[in-house]
Amino acid sequence: MAEPILRLFNLTKRFGALQATDSVSLDLWPGEIHALIGPNGAGKSTLVKLIVGELRQNSGSIEFEGRCIDALGSAERASRGLARSFQVSSIFPEFTVFENVFLAVQGAERKTYRFFRRALSNSEFSGRASAQIDRVRLSARSGTVASELSHGERRRLEVAMALAMRPKALLLDEPMAGVGAEGTRELTKLLSEIREESPILLIEHDMDAVFALADRISVLVSGRVVSTGGVAEIRRSDEVRRAYLGFGDE
């Protein structure tokens, strides 16, 4: 029987008197998109940082592939296959689309080269990079410098880079932000296609995208999970409707 790839057990994080994360428990199963939603100030950003190891919880624990990862830093968590995407720093703006994805492939193999241009001759790595670029429909932009991409194209490049790392789970933080209607449609289709390969914990404000993608939704309010369920259950929840009065960016 399958087990969750990621489990949070009663995570708590305090900043002085502020309880930013309050006994949060949730899990992510193989093949699943589990969306985490919440109004402004709900604590989503803090929870993301706890999961990826940028912050340490005061209590509770995190398991990845059945093993406790509380003692691991963010780099080691990433190397084990827990990938976070959509961070501005993940893209090298002066490099081309191909070079960015190639670097991600190289990083997944934990290989470094003194001369990057010489490394680009590695046919295996080049093939893997090209396959991911094609997958996110950026082949026509492969030679384009990343700084010249549209916002939506940069989001797709970040997905390609994340997939090039061969992740066992993806944590996507606001992927639809600022991409427009067409970009949202493209990303929604792409994320739906990759869920079986890499289950996704999706933090997102675009409720149309959440309802289109999510198998389950957890609602975070004031640092606590107040509801978890399927799309239909969350849609009709009075508690969720109340939580989303004044819904906005965190």
Side-chain angles (χ1 to χ4, degrees), residues 78-153:
S79 72
R80 292 196 179 194
L82 180 56
R84 179 185 181 183
S85 189
F86 305 135
Q87 296 169 287
V88 173
S89 60
S90 66
I91 287 178
F92 295 95
E94 71 277 14
F95 285 7
T96 67
V97 167
F98 177 82
E99 289 168 344
N100 269 282
V101 181
F102 185 95
L103 281 170
V105 172
Q106 182 180 319
E109 298 298 325
R110 303 183 188 179
K111 293 183 182 294
T112 58
Y113 293 88
R114 185 175 177 185
F115 300 105
F116 178 57
R117 295 296 169 187
R118 185 181 300 170
L120 290 171
S121 65
N122 185 312
S123 60
E124 178 191 352
F125 287 6
S126 294
R128 283 167 51 187
S130 295
Q132 297 302 343
I133 292 168
D134 182 63
R135 192 174 188 184
V136 301
R137 304 170 186 89
L138 282 177
S139 295
R141 304 283 270 164
S142 184
T144 302
V145 174
S147 61
E148 298 177 4
L149 299 177
S150 70
H151 190 71
E153 287 172 334

Side-chain angles (χ1 to χ4, degrees), residues 168-185:
K168 296 173 182 176
L170 278 171
L171 195 160
L172 304 186
D173 193 357
E174 302 288 353
M176 309 300 173
V179 301
E182 180 60 29
T184 295
R185 284 192 292 272

Side-chain angles (χ1 to χ4, degrees), residues 161-228:
M161 294 172 68
L163 292 174
M165 297 291 290
R166 294 178 170 174
K168 296 173 182 176
L170 278 171
L171 195 160
L172 304 186
D173 193 357
E174 302 288 353
M176 309 300 173
V179 301
E182 180 60 29
T184 295
R185 284 192 292 272
E186 291 177 349
L187 275 172
T188 298
K189 184 175 187 296
L190 177 60
L191 298 184
S192 184
E193 291 170 356
I194 67 177
R195 72 205 307 158
E196 291 298 329
E197 175 184 338
S198 299
I200 299 168
L201 182 61
L202 175 68
I203 291 83
E204 183 55 61
H205 276 126
D206 186 323
M207 294 308 298
D208 289 335
V210 167
F211 289 146
L213 285 167
D215 299 291
R216 287 186 298 151
I217 301 170
S218 289
V219 183
L220 195 68
V221 178
S222 300
R224 293 185 65 88
V225 173
V226 299
S227 184
T228 295

